[in-house]
Coordinates of all heavy atoms in Angstrom, one line a residue:
G8 N 0.8 -1.2 0.0 CA 0.0 0.0 0.0 C 0.8 1.3 0.0 O 0.3 2.4 -0.2
V9 N 2.1 1.2 0.2 CA 3.0 2.4 0.2 C 3.1 2.9 -1.2 O 3.4 2.1 -2.2 CB 4.3 2.1 0.8 CG1 5.3 3.2 0.6 CG2 4.2 1.8 2.3
D10 N 3.0 4.2 -1.4 CA 3.2 4.8 -2.7 C 4.7 4.8 -3.1 O 5.5 5.5 -2.5 CB 2.6 6.2 -2.7 CG 2.7 6.9 -4.1 OD1 2.0 6.4 -5.0 OD2 3.5 7.8 -4.2
K11 N 5.0 4.0 -4.1 CA 6.4 3.9 -4.6 C 7.0 5.2 -5.1 O 8.2 5.4 -5.0 CB 6.5 2.7 -5.6 CG 6.2 1.4 -5.0 CD 6.3 0.3 -6.0 CE 6.0 -1.1 -5.4 NZ 6.0 -2.2 -6.4
T12 N 6.1 5.9 -5.8 CA 6.6 7.2 -6.4 C 7.1 8.1 -5.3 O 8.1 8.8 -5.4 CB 5.5 7.9 -7.2 OG1 5.1 7.0 -8.2 CG2 6.0 9.2 -7.8
T13 N 6.4 8.2 -4.2 CA 6.7 9.0 -3.0 C 8.1 8.6 -2.4 O 8.9 9.4 -2.1 CB 5.7 9.0 -2.0 OG1 4.4 9.4 -2.5 CG2 6.0 9.8 -0.8
V14 N 8.2 7.3 -2.3 CA 9.5 6.7 -1.8 C 10.6 7.0 -2.7 O 11.7 7.5 -2.3 CB 9.4 5.2 -1.5 CG1 10.7 4.6 -1.1 CG2 8.3 4.9 -0.4
E15 N 10.4 6.8 -4.0 CA 11.5 7.1 -5.0 C 11.9 8.5 -4.9 O 13.1 8.9 -5.0 CB 11.0 6.7 -6.4 CG 12.1 6.9 -7.4 CD 11.7 6.3 -8.8 OE1 10.7 5.6 -8.9 OE2 12.5 6.5 -9.7
T16 N 11.0 9.4 -4.9 CA 11.3 10.9 -4.8 C 12.1 11.2 -3.5 O 13.0 12.0 -3.6 CB 10.0 11.7 -4.9 OG1 9.3 11.4 -6.1 CG2 10.3 13.2 -4.8
A17 N 11.7 10.6 -2.4 CA 12.3 10.8 -1.1 C 13.8 10.4 -1.2 O 14.7 11.0 -0.7 CB 11.6 10.1 0.0
I18 N 14.0 9.3 -1.9 CA 15.4 8.8 -2.1 C 16.2 9.7 -2.9 O 17.3 10.2 -2.5 CB 15.4 7.4 -2.7 CG1 14.8 6.4 -1.7 CG2 16.8 6.9 -3.0 CD1 14.5 5.0 -2.3
K19 N 15.7 10.0 -4.1 CA 16.5 10.8 -5.1 C 16.7 12.2 -4.7 O 17.7 12.8 -5.2 CB 15.8 10.8 -6.4 CG 15.8 9.4 -7.1 CD 15.1 9.5 -8.5 CE 15.2 8.1 -9.2 NZ 14.6 8.2 -10.6
T20 N 15.9 12.8 -3.8 CA 16.1 14.1 -3.3 C 16.8 14.3 -2.0 O 16.9 15.3 -1.4 CB 14.8 14.9 -3.3 OG1 13.9 14.2 -2.4 CG2 14.1 14.9 -4.7
M21 N 17.2 13.1 -1.4 CA 17.8 13.1 -0.1 C 19.1 13.8 -0.1 O 20.1 13.4 -0.7 CB 17.9 11.7 0.4 CG 18.3 11.6 1.9 SD 18.6 9.9 2.5 CE 16.9 9.2 2.2
P22 N 19.3 15.0 0.7 CA 20.5 15.7 0.7 C 21.6 14.9 1.4 O 21.4 14.1 2.3 CB 20.2 17.0 1.5 CG 19.0 16.6 2.3 CD 18.2 15.6 1.5
N23 N 22.9 15.1 0.9 CA 24.1 14.5 1.4 C 24.2 13.0 1.1 O 25.2 12.4 1.3 CB 24.2 14.6 3.0 CG 24.1 16.1 3.4 OD1 24.8 16.9 2.8 ND2 23.4 16.4 4.5
Y24 N 23.1 12.4 0.5 CA 23.2 11.0 0.2 C 23.0 10.7 -1.3 O 23.7 10.0 -1.9 CB 22.1 10.2 1.0 CG 22.5 10.0 2.5 CD1 22.2 10.9 3.4 CD2 23.3 8.9 2.9 CE1 22.5 10.8 4.8 CE2 23.6 8.7 4.2 CZ 23.2 9.6 5.2 OH 23.6 9.5 6.5
F25 N 21.9 11.3 -1.8 CA 21.5 10.9 -3.2 C 21.3 12.1 -4.1 O 21.3 12.0 -5.4 CB 20.2 10.1 -3.2 CG 20.4 8.8 -2.5 CD1 19.9 8.6 -1.2 CD2 21.0 7.7 -3.1 CE1 20.1 7.4 -0.5 CE2 21.2 6.5 -2.4 CZ 20.7 6.3 -1.1
A26 N 21.0 13.3 -3.6 CA 20.6 14.4 -4.4 C 21.7 14.8 -5.4 O 21.3 15.3 -6.5 CB 20.3 15.6 -3.5
D27 N 22.9 14.6 -5.1 CA 24.0 15.0 -6.0 C 24.4 13.9 -7.0 O 25.4 14.1 -7.8 CB 25.2 15.4 -5.2 CG 24.9 16.7 -4.4 OD1 24.1 17.5 -4.8 OD2 25.6 16.8 -3.3
Y28 N 23.7 12.8 -7.1 CA 24.0 11.7 -7.9 C 22.9 11.3 -8.8 O 21.7 11.5 -8.5 CB 24.3 10.4 -7.0 CG 25.5 10.6 -6.1 CD1 25.4 11.2 -4.8 CD2 26.8 10.2 -6.5 CE1 26.5 11.3 -4.0 CE2 27.9 10.3 -5.6 CZ 27.7 10.9 -4.4 OH 28.8 11.0 -3.6
D29 N 23.2 10.6 -10.0 CA 22.2 9.9 -10.7 C 21.9 8.7 -9.9 O 22.8 7.9 -9.6 CB 22.8 9.5 -12.1 CG 23.0 10.7 -13.0 OD1 22.3 11.7 -12.8 OD2 23.9 10.7 -13.9
T30 N 20.6 8.5 -9.6 CA 20.2 7.4 -8.8 C 19.1 6.6 -9.4 O 18.1 7.2 -10.0 CB 19.6 8.0 -7.4 OG1 20.6 8.8 -6.8 CG2 19.2 6.9 -6.5
V31 N 19.3 5.3 -9.4 CA 18.3 4.4 -10.0 C 17.6 3.6 -8.8 O 18.3 3.0 -8.0 CB 18.9 3.4 -11.0 CG1 17.9 2.4 -11.5 CG2 19.6 4.1 -12.1
V32 N 16.3 3.6 -8.8 CA 15.6 2.9 -7.7 C 14.8 1.7 -8.3 O 14.0 1.9 -9.2 CB 14.6 3.8 -7.0 CG1 13.9 3.1 -5.9 CG2 15.3 5.0 -6.4
N33 N 15.1 0.5 -7.8 CA 14.4 -0.7 -8.2 C 13.6 -1.2 -7.0 O 14.2 -1.5 -5.9 CB 15.5 -1.8 -8.6 CG 16.4 -1.3 -9.7 OD1 16.0 -1.2 -10.9 ND2 17.6 -1.0 -9.4
F34 N 12.3 -1.4 -7.2 CA 11.5 -1.9 -6.1 C 11.4 -3.5 -6.3 O 11.1 -4.0 -7.3 CB 10.1 -1.3 -6.2 CG 10.1 0.1 -5.7 CD1 10.1 1.2 -6.6 CD2 10.1 0.5 -4.4 CE1 10.1 2.5 -6.2 CE2 10.2 1.8 -4.0 CZ 10.2 2.8 -4.9
V35 N 11.8 -4.1 -5.2 CA 11.8 -5.6 -5.2 C 11.1 -6.1 -3.9 O 10.8 -5.3 -3.0 CB 13.2 -6.2 -5.2 CG1 13.9 -5.7 -6.5 CG2 14.0 -5.7 -4.0
S36 N 10.9 -7.4 -3.8 CA 10.3 -8.0 -2.6 C 11.4 -8.2 -1.5 O 12.6 -8.2 -1.8 CB 9.6 -9.3 -2.9 OG 10.6 -10.3 -3.3
V37 N 10.9 -8.3 -0.3 CA 11.8 -8.6 0.8 C 12.6 -10.0 0.5 O 13.8 -10.1 0.8 CB 11.1 -8.7 2.2 CG1 12.0 -9.2 3.3 CG2 10.5 -7.4 2.5
E38 N 11.8 -10.9 0.0 CA 12.4 -12.2 -0.3 C 13.6 -12.1 -1.4 O 14.6 -12.7 -1.2 CB 11.4 -13.2 -0.8 CG 10.4 -13.6 0.2 CD 9.4 -12.5 0.6 OE1 9.2 -11.6 -0.3 OE2 8.8 -12.6 1.7
E39 N 13.4 -11.2 -2.4 CA 14.4 -11.0 -3.4 C 15.6 -10.3 -2.8 O 16.8 -10.7 -3.1 CB 13.9 -10.2 -4.6 CG 14.9 -10.1 -5.7 CD 14.3 -9.4 -6.9 OE1 13.1 -9.4 -7.1 OE2 15.1 -8.9 -7.7
L40 N 15.4 -9.4 -1.9 CA 16.5 -8.7 -1.2 C 17.3 -9.8 -0.5 O 18.6 -9.7 -0.5 CB 16.0 -7.7 -0.3 CG 15.8 -6.2 -0.8 CD1 15.3 -5.3 0.3 CD2 17.1 -5.7 -1.3
K41 N 16.7 -10.6 0.3 CA 17.4 -11.6 1.1 C 18.1 -12.6 0.2 O 19.2 -13.0 0.5 CB 16.4 -12.3 2.0 CG 15.9 -11.5 3.1 CD 14.9 -12.3 4.0 CE 14.3 -11.4 5.1 NZ 13.3 -12.1 5.9
K42 N 17.5 -13.0 -0.9 CA 18.1 -13.9 -1.8 C 19.3 -13.4 -2.6 O 20.4 -14.0 -2.7 CB 17.1 -14.5 -2.8 CG 17.6 -15.5 -3.8 CD 16.5 -16.0 -4.7 CE 17.0 -17.0 -5.7 NZ 16.0 -17.5 -6.7
N43 N 19.1 -12.2 -3.2 CA 20.1 -11.7 -4.1 C 21.0 -10.5 -3.6 O 22.0 -10.2 -4.3 CB 19.4 -11.2 -5.4 CG 18.7 -12.3 -6.1 OD1 19.1 -13.4 -6.1 ND2 17.5 -11.9 -6.7
H44 N 20.7 -10.0 -2.4 CA 21.4 -8.8 -1.9 C 21.8 -8.9 -0.5 O 21.8 -7.9 0.2 CB 20.6 -7.5 -2.2 CG 20.2 -7.4 -3.6 ND1 21.1 -6.9 -4.6 CD2 19.0 -7.6 -4.3 CE1 20.4 -6.9 -5.8 NE2 19.2 -7.3 -5.6
A45 N 22.0 -10.1 0.0 CA 22.3 -10.3 1.4 C 23.8 -10.1 1.7 O 24.2 -9.8 2.9 CB 21.9 -11.7 1.9
E46 N 24.7 -10.2 0.7 CA 26.1 -10.1 1.0 C 26.5 -8.6 1.0 O 25.7 -7.7 0.7 CB 26.9 -10.8 -0.2 CG 26.5 -12.3 -0.3 CD 26.8 -13.1 1.0 OE1 27.9 -12.8 1.6 OE2 26.0 -14.0 1.3
L47 N 27.8 -8.4 1.4 CA 28.3 -7.1 1.6 C 29.6 -6.9 0.8 O 30.7 -6.6 1.3 CB 28.6 -6.8 3.1 CG 27.3 -6.7 3.9 CD1 27.8 -6.6 5.4 CD2 26.4 -5.6 3.6
P48 N 29.5 -7.0 -0.6 CA 30.7 -6.8 -1.4 C 31.1 -5.3 -1.5 O 30.2 -4.4 -1.3 CB 30.2 -7.3 -2.8 CG 28.8 -7.0 -2.8 CD 28.3 -7.2 -1.4
H49 N 32.3 -5.0 -1.8 CA 32.7 -3.6 -2.1 C 34.0 -3.6 -2.8 O 34.5 -4.7 -3.2 CB 32.7 -2.8 -0.8 CG 32.2 -1.4 -1.0 ND1 32.5 -0.6 -2.1 CD2 31.3 -0.7 -0.3 CE1 31.9 0.5 -2.0 NE2 31.2 0.5 -0.9
G50 N 34.6 -2.5 -2.9 CA 35.9 -2.4 -3.6 C 36.1 -1.0 -4.2 O 35.4 0.0 -3.8
G51 N 37.0 -0.9 -5.2 CA 37.2 0.4 -5.8 C 38.6 0.6 -6.3 O 39.4 -0.4 -6.2
S52 N 38.9 1.8 -6.7 CA 40.3 2.1 -7.3 C 40.7 3.4 -6.9 O 39.9 4.4 -6.8 CB 40.2 2.0 -8.8 OG 39.8 0.7 -9.3
V53 N 42.0 3.5 -6.6 CA 42.7 4.8 -6.5 C 43.6 4.9 -7.7 O 44.5 4.1 -8.0 CB 43.6 4.9 -5.2 CG1 44.4 6.2 -5.2 CG2 42.7 4.9 -4.0
I54 N 43.5 6.0 -8.5 CA 44.2 6.2 -9.7 C 44.9 7.6 -9.6 O 44.3 8.6 -9.3 CB 43.3 6.2 -10.9 CG1 42.6 4.8 -11.0 CG2 44.2 6.3 -12.2 CD1 41.5 4.8 -12.1
R55 N 46.2 7.6 -9.9 CA 47.0 8.8 -10.0 C 47.4 9.0 -11.4 O 48.1 8.1 -12.0 CB 48.2 8.8 -9.1 CG 49.1 10.0 -9.2 CD 48.6 11.2 -8.5 NE 49.5 12.3 -8.4 CZ 49.3 13.5 -7.8 NH1 48.2 13.7 -7.2 NH2 50.2 14.5 -7.9

């Protein structure tokens, strides 16, 4: 029953977190989050 458009707008306009970035919001089920996004990968690069 939650309005997804409202949530998406709140995310994309959130200062200090998302407002300065191109942001893509994908709505999924709790089950899909647990199945496909339970891990904590990361990384990156430092380039001079």
Side-chain angles (χ1 to χ4, degrees):
V9 169
D10 183 64
K11 294 179 180 178
T12 301
T13 301
V14 172
E15 182 171 355
T16 300
I18 294 170
K19 290 184 174 181
T20 59
M21 190 183 298
N23 302 319
Y24 285 89
F25 298 99
D27 295 331
Y28 296 86
D29 289 333
T30 302
V31 177
V32 180
N33 303 285
F34 288 99
V35 299
S36 66
V37 172
E38 290 73 23
E39 185 175 339
L40 270 178
K41 291 179 179 178
K42 179 181 178 181
N43 298 328
H44 304 283
E46 302 299 323
L47 296 171
H49 220 314
S52 301
V53 172
I54 305 172
R55 176 77 173 179

